[in-house]
């Protein structure tokens, strides 16, 4: 029986175990031009015992930013900052992928320089608010991307992926989940286009598929992962009938030969779809299971029963830098402090103790 503590092969790359640090926004890119700091390098290095680290969302372009102090991968200073992070992780034996996250409509003009404003598949304003340095602000109506701008945005992902490899990352994960740009193209309430990028299921998956193909062509398919979250309502997404579109998406990217598919389950009721998608995909399946089901040590059975190849943990990894060791012994676990999740200093960031110091 395979367990979460057994080594794994990720498209030819050996992983020490099957436990993944899930991507988590921390809003602490205080370096020049939203570049990583030494504190960020220490944060990720502390968690290098994960089989795979997936970074916080990194904007592939200036307009892709949606929160304060989130990092980019579109400038030389950002590449240099991330090189310090990847070197620190590799020195401790870890593997690290950069998550490329364009937020699309989930942002605010106040977070962007000059006259830039958020963009999206269609000019549909999301319900809700976004946090800015001036406090919560209502979302605004995004600009609808022209066909040429859609192609240029794919090019931005490609450029950022190349920058990730230059910065020493082992690969990239394309964030197609949680209501951000790729997900906005997939969802019918956010993609109301009638051109080749919208309308039918085939057209709504096109942006995701073309981005996967372009990035794989640029850096190699074995260095690419894709994250999806069918029916996740986060960020005002509505997908009442997700099965057909996600089956079509996975079938379309399967021939590309990407390293992994990362599924975020919004509810345990989506487990049948997860199993269907696993049947369509021959690569590694990473599962971020719903918090409605078993968590912590109790979730490890999802590897043992073959539901997933790798298992991703979010807040538990945030608070427990040595999480694989703690999972092996069923704890004890540090308790995450939500007040320090976004922004701040080392408190709630690099000061969570490992077991040896508890």
């Amino acid at each position: 029986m395979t367990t979460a503590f057994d080594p794994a092969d990720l498209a030819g790359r050996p992983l020490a175990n099957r436990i993944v640090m899930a991507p988590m926004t921390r809003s602490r890119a205080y370096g020049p031009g939203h570049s990583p700091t030494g504190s960020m390098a220490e944060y990720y290095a502390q968690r290098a015992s994960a089989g795979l680290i997936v970074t916080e969302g990194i904007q592939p372009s200036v307009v892709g930013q949606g929160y304060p102090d989130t990092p980019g991968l579109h400038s030389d200073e950002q590449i240099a900052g991330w090189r310090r992070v990847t070197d620190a992780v590799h020195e401790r034996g870890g593997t690290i992928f950069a998550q490329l996250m364009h937020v699309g409509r989930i942002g605010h003009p106040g977070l962007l320089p000059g006259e830039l404003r958020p963009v999206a598949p269609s000019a549909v304003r999301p319900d809700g608010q976004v946090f800015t340095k001036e406090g919560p602000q209502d979302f605004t109506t995004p600009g609808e991307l022209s066909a040429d701008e859609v192609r240029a945005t794919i090019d931005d992902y490609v450029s950022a992926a190349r920058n990730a490899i230059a910065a020493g990352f082992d690969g990239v994960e394309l964030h197609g989940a949680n209501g951000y740009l790729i997900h906005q193209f997939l969802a019918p309430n956010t993609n109301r286009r009638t051109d080749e990028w919208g309308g039918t299921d085939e057209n709504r998956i096109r942006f995701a598929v073309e981005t996967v193909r372009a990035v794989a062509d640029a850096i190699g398919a074995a260095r690419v992962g894709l994250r999806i979250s069918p029916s996740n309502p986060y960020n005002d997404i509505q997908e009442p009938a997700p099965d057909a579109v996600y089956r079509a998406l996975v079938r379309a990217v399967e021939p590309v030969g990407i390293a992994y598919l990362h599924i975020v389950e919004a509810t345990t009721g989506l487990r049948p779809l997860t199993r269907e998608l696993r049947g369509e995909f021959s690569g590694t399946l990473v599962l971020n299971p719903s918090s409605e089901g078993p968590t912590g040590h109790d979730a490890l059975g999802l590897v043992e029963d073959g539901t997933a190849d790798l298992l991703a943990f979010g807040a538990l990894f945030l608070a427990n830098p040595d999480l694989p060791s703690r999972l092996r012994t069923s704890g004890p676990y540090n308790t995450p402090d939500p007040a320090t999740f976004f922004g701040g200093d080392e408190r709630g960031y690099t000061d969570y103790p490992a077991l040896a110091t508890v």
Side-chain angles (χ1 to χ4, degrees):
M1 177 183 66
T2 299
T3 77
F5 306 106
D6 292 333
D9 179 279
L10 183 65
R13 183 178 301 279
L15 303 182
N17 56 61
R18 296 164 184 262
I19 298 165
V20 177
M21 177 180 170
M24 292 172 282
T25 295
R26 301 307 308 272
S27 291
R28 284 172 166 87
Y30 301 138
H34 300 298
S35 61
T37 63
S39 181
M40 288 174 65
E42 177 59 18
Y43 167 73
Y44 284 110
Q46 287 176 347
R47 291 154 179 80
S49 64
L52 172 66
I53 292 173
V54 184
T55 71
E56 61 209 275
I58 302 171
Q59 53 260 13
S61 61
V62 174
V63 76
Q65 181 172 359
Y67 303 101
D69 300 315
T70 54
L73 253 173
H74 51 80
S75 74
D76 289 342
E77 58 194 358
Q78 291 165 351
I79 294 171
W82 281 115
R83 169 60 75 172
R84 290 191 289 272
V85 174
T86 60
D87 283 349
V89 170
H90 291 150
E91 285 170 6
R92 300 195 193 183
T95 298
I96 183 167
F97 273 44
Q99 189 194 65
L100 302 183
M101 181 181 86
H102 189 308
V103 300
R105 68 180 191 156
I106 303 302
H108 192 274
L111 293 164
L112 302 174
E115 299 300 313
L116 287 178
R117 60 172 178 155
V119 295
S122 301
V124 181
R125 182 182 66 83
D127 287 337
Q129 294 185 313
V130 64
F131 183 79
T132 72
K133 290 191 173 180
E134 286 70 46
Q137 301 282 334
D138 289 342
F139 287 118
T140 60
T141 300
E144 180 174 308
L145 291 163
S146 69
D148 287 344
E149 288 170 335
V150 172
R151 290 289 180 189
T153 301
I154 294 174
D155 290 341
D156 288 338
Y157 278 101
V158 170
S159 178
R162 289 192 173 114
N163 289 344
I165 301 307
F169 282 102
D170 299 298
V172 302
E173 176 179 281
L174 300 176
H175 195 355
N178 298 358
Y180 298 114
L181 184 64
I182 294 175
H183 199 180
Q184 290 161 28
F185 272 92
L186 295 172
N189 74 309
T190 50
N191 184 348
R192 302 181 185 178
R193 303 174 73 102
T194 57
D195 63 1
E196 63 180 319
W197 303 101
T200 64
D201 289 350
E202 180 183 8
N203 285 350
R204 282 190 287 114
I205 70 171
R206 190 183 306 277
F207 182 77
V209 174
E210 293 293 328
T211 303
V212 167
R213 288 173 177 164
V215 170
D217 285 346
I219 66 170
R223 289 172 159 173
V224 180
L226 173 65
R227 194 182 208 215
I228 58 174
S229 60
S231 271
N232 186 350
Y234 190 62
N235 284 323
D236 196 25
I237 289 290
Q238 298 170 25
E239 292 181 295
D243 293 37
V245 71
Y246 283 96
R247 283 198 299 264
L249 172 61
V250 173
R251 286 171 183 162
V253 301
E254 162 66 18
V256 180
I258 61 174
Y260 68 83
L261 179 69
H262 185 174
I263 299 178
V264 182
E265 286 183 336
T267 70
T268 53
L270 287 165
R271 185 62 50 77
L273 178 57
T274 295
R275 292 196 170 105
E276 282 188 54
L277 297 180
R278 180 177 178 82
E280 301 282 358
F281 184 69
S282 61
T284 296
L285 189 137
V286 181
L287 180 61
N288 201 154
S290 169
S291 59
E292 295 175 350
T295 58
H297 183 273
D298 293 339
L300 300 181
L302 293 168
V303 172
E304 295 167 6
D305 69 12
T307 300
D309 298 303
L310 307 179
L311 202 61
F313 294 89
L316 200 60
F317 226 133
L318 179 155
N320 296 275
D322 55 345
L323 183 61
S325 295
R326 292 176 185 263
L327 289 170
R328 190 182 287 274
T329 59
S330 299
Y333 302 108
N334 299 322
T335 302
D337 177 13
T340 60
F341 281 0
F342 307 108
D345 52 23
E346 74 282 355
R347 289 169 294 184
Y349 192 56
T350 57
D351 64 344
Y352 285 108
L355 273 174
T357 60
V358 172

